[in-house]
Amino acid sequence: MALTPLDKQQLRPLLYPVLTHLGPQGDGGYVVPADQIPHCRFLISLGLCDNWKFAKDFLKLNPAVSIVGVDHSVGPTFFIAGMPFCLGKIVGYALIFNGAKLRRYTGRLRDYVDYFSFFKGPHKHLRKRVCASMSGPLDITLTAILNTDAQGGEHDVFLKMDIEGSEYEIVPDIIKNHSRIRCLAAEFHRVHERTEEFNQAIRLLAKHFTIVHIHGNNIGPYSETIDFPVSLEITWVNRDILKHDLDRSTMSYPREGLDVPNTPTRPDYKLKF
């Protein structure tokens, strides 16, 4: 139960004129500033699992971008081991004419094979766990990831983050490296249990970044305690690159034509600021 009320006032986005949805039509997709994508040299995706459709959509809009996926929980062995399982499911569901399940596992198998062709050349997967400090061999900090490129410039990074609760400890590193980060799209988890931490994280980020979109993830529950979804997908733009002041948005959220329910079979959560 939250001991601190959720500070909703600081969550109301500013009205950004050019937004688009990247990624799957479900969990893993984000609404982002379309006009900022061509200015990024790097897309750093903290949290990968078996879904990099956001990265592929980003690449279509900026073919020159270099993509770095960071996730210690998956790798070549994971995807190779999963292929026979997917093949077995495909055969089984084909025999019983279950088209929906057949499409699901065919798509998953396609993704598993795609891992080996996508993460090569300028794009790479770091089998690391992003943390506030490097206390073990699997650990890596955001600063260390950014410093792997000695020629990094100002506002050249789009940072996407979905690391299942560890996002709170990464916020100071984001602030430390704010001059590199052009845009940030992140999911914050368990907001109803970590309300004070969440409020503080949003206040810290507001020193250098402006919220331009917010969406409640309907995979998780809606908390009556904070009167808000417990998992929030939020998009920021670095204040330094904004050429004009933006008005406070009076739009309803979710935004029609932009937002997609993470669970398609359930309605999206309407946000009350």
Side-chain angles (χ1 to χ4, degrees), residues 22-227:
L22 299 186
Q25 296 295 300
D27 198 37
Y30 289 85
V31 173
V32 300
D35 60 335
Q36 299 301 333
I37 293 173
H39 300 287
C40 298
R41 291 183 60 227
F42 300 96
L43 167 62
I44 296 178
S45 183
L46 306 182
L48 190 65
C49 195
D50 59 357
N51 186 337
W52 44 93
K53 292 182 175 64
F54 180 94
K56 297 185 80 170
D57 284 352
F58 197 103
L59 188 62
K60 290 176 184 176
L61 298 178
N62 182 353
V65 76
S66 296
I67 297 167
V68 181
V70 185
D71 195 324
H72 70 289
S73 66
V74 295
T77 302
F78 172 89
F79 293 107
I80 290 171
M83 289 179 190
F85 174 80
C86 290
L87 283 169
K89 291 290 187 179
I90 289 169
V91 171
Y93 287 123
L95 291 173
I96 62 174
F97 303 103
N98 188 324
K101 294 286 183 67
L102 179 61
R103 287 189 294 273
R104 178 193 302 177
Y105 285 99
T106 299
R108 185 177 297 181
L109 178 62
R110 189 182 299 117
D111 290 341
Y112 284 13
V113 173
D114 181 64
Y115 170 84
F116 296 94
S117 59
F118 187 78
F119 288 101
K120 67 178 184 180
H123 314 312
K124 58 186 176 182
H125 170 209
L126 300 180
R127 296 189 65 191
K128 295 286 187 177
R129 177 177 54 216
V130 64
C131 299
S133 61
M134 292 191 287
S135 56
L138 275 180
D139 298 336
I140 192 168
T141 64
L142 176 60
T143 297
I145 296 168
L146 291 170
N147 287 344
T148 57
D149 178 63
Q151 298 180 346
E154 286 195 350
H155 309 132
D156 62 344
V157 171
F158 192 109
L159 180 63
K160 174 180 171 287
M161 181 168 64
D162 184 0
I163 47 179
E164 304 302 325
S166 297
E167 59 274 5
Y168 295 92
E169 66 178 279
I170 306 304
V171 169
D173 231 8
I174 294 174
I175 301 302
K176 178 181 177 181
N177 295 282
H178 69 89
S179 63
R180 288 290 308 275
I181 300 168
R182 192 175 196 90
C183 300
L184 166 65
E187 182 166 357
F188 279 80
H189 303 79
R190 294 166 52 200
V191 175
H192 63 314
E193 296 176 349
R194 306 179 70 170
T195 312
E196 187 171 353
E197 284 181 89
F198 177 77
N199 287 342
Q200 177 65 10
I202 300 302
R203 281 194 290 269
L204 286 172
L205 289 167
K207 294 178 179 180
H208 300 286
F209 299 92
T210 291
I211 294 177
V212 296
H213 192 73
I214 186 169
H215 177 247
N217 187 330
N218 72 343
I219 290 179
Y222 190 97
S223 171
E224 297 299 331
T225 304
I226 60 172
D227 195 22

